[in-house]
Amino acid sequence: MAIVTGAAHGIGRAICVELAREGARVWACDVRARELAATRAAVDAARPGAGATAAVDVRDARAVAEFVGRVDTAAAGRVDILVNTAGGVSGQVMRPVEEVSDEAWREIFAVNLDGAFHFTRSVAPLMKRAGRGAIVNISSGAGRSYSLTGIQAYASAKAGLIGFTRQTARELGRHGIRVNSVAPGFMRTNPATELQWEAMGAAGQARLMDSIALGRLGAPEDVARAVLFFVSDDAAYVTGQTISVDGGQWMLG
């Protein structure tokens, strides 16, 4: 059984579909309840009957614990995979750091870092009981460098998620649980990233494309394949690591 957060569209949906194709039963959750119907349809098209959905706000620790409890019961105590995809900029735009409110800062941390903590905390006892498990956190290139959108909290939260990945990998490894991270580059995967793309303007878009060694933007499926590697037996001796899925943007600055 796999749990995928932030699964209503884009990267989260692609991860659900790829996991289902590889034989997993997938619980897709997101705060966007209506959009989850399309995710379930995509999962069922990949493997009929493999998908289930639930509206869950990752910021709500109690709701997360209750949801994981339901999945535990439905899966007869077997949760093998957790993918923490939920994140984003919560509709925010770049502001000078002196103009960023406490509320704006905390909102981005709540979605991008607290949510992963809430789910990992709830799933860890189940995986310990089974003696195995794989957790993958979806960070960002912003967490390894800086945010193209200039949002300080986003870069900070995603860097924190990479640190959380390393620390929990160290702690949970003795229980047979591996924890890794994927750091995507900029991708046009949802309405928020479309707005960011438009805000760059033609010149900014050209600069971004010139900075990518492979000469194209990534797709959700590119991230999903990296997740598949981390949860597979091919990565049985890999933990605490972060893979950048950015087309080689780091090579060119």
Side-chain angles (χ1 to χ4, degrees), residues 23-113:
R25 178 160 175 77
V26 181
W27 272 92
C29 61
D30 201 294
V31 72
R32 301 173 181 86
R34 276 201 277 181
E35 295 177 56
L36 281 172
T39 296
R40 181 163 187 172
V43 170
D44 285 342
R47 193 165 71 88
T53 61
V56 182
D57 186 342
V58 300
R59 299 169 297 183
D60 186 336
R62 180 175 295 179
V64 169
E66 291 175 351
F67 168 70
V68 171
R70 295 203 311 272
V71 174
D72 182 27
T73 299
R78 186 69 181 266
V79 176
D80 305 290
I81 296 166
L82 167 65
V83 186
N84 287 307
T85 314
V89 298
S90 300
Q92 296 184 31
V93 296
M94 189 276 174
R95 294 181 183 276
V97 67
E98 65 268 24
E99 297 179 11
V100 177
S101 69
D102 290 351
E103 292 76 19
W105 177 272
R106 289 170 183 150
E107 172 60 23
I108 287 182
F109 266 76
V111 175
N112 290 277
L113 187 53

Side-chain angles (χ1 to χ4, degrees), residues 85-249:
T85 314
V89 298
S90 300
Q92 296 184 31
V93 296
M94 189 276 174
R95 294 181 183 276
V97 67
E98 65 268 24
E99 297 179 11
V100 177
S101 69
D102 290 351
E103 292 76 19
W105 177 272
R106 289 170 183 150
E107 172 60 23
I108 287 182
F109 266 76
V111 175
N112 290 277
L113 187 53
D114 294 359
F117 164 63
H118 294 154
F119 263 92
T120 301
R121 179 174 62 183
S122 293
V123 165
L126 281 57
M127 291 183 172
K128 286 181 178 180
R129 191 171 64 207
R132 62 173 294 160
I135 299 172
V136 182
N137 298 314
I138 306 302
S139 180
S140 168
R144 307 194 84 175
S145 179
Y146 59 88
S147 170
L148 293 175
T149 60
I151 299 173
Q152 305 89 346
Y154 182 73
S156 301
K158 289 302 191 182
L161 189 55
I162 292 173
F164 181 66
T165 297
R166 291 194 297 264
Q167 190 63 42
T168 50
R170 174 66 178 172
E171 174 185 343
L172 299 175
R174 68 190 62 188
H175 301 284
I177 303 166
R178 296 178 294 105
V179 189
N180 291 289
S181 174
V182 177
F186 180 82
M187 297 180 184
R188 298 170 64 183
T189 61
N190 56 53
T193 54
E194 284 300 314
L195 290 174
Q196 292 166 12
W197 175 254
E198 293 300 323
M200 290 179 194
Q205 293 168 8
R207 284 195 299 272
L208 173 61
M209 296 306 298
D210 285 344
S211 75
I212 300 172
L214 293 181
R216 68 170 178 88
L217 292 179
E221 290 74 19
D222 294 315
V223 179
R225 292 187 193 97
V227 171
L228 284 184
F229 166 69
F230 273 142
V231 304
S232 74
D233 289 341
D234 291 336
Y237 199 57
V238 179
T239 195
Q241 304 305 307
T242 298
I243 290 179
S244 290
V245 180
D246 59 7
Q249 189 172 357

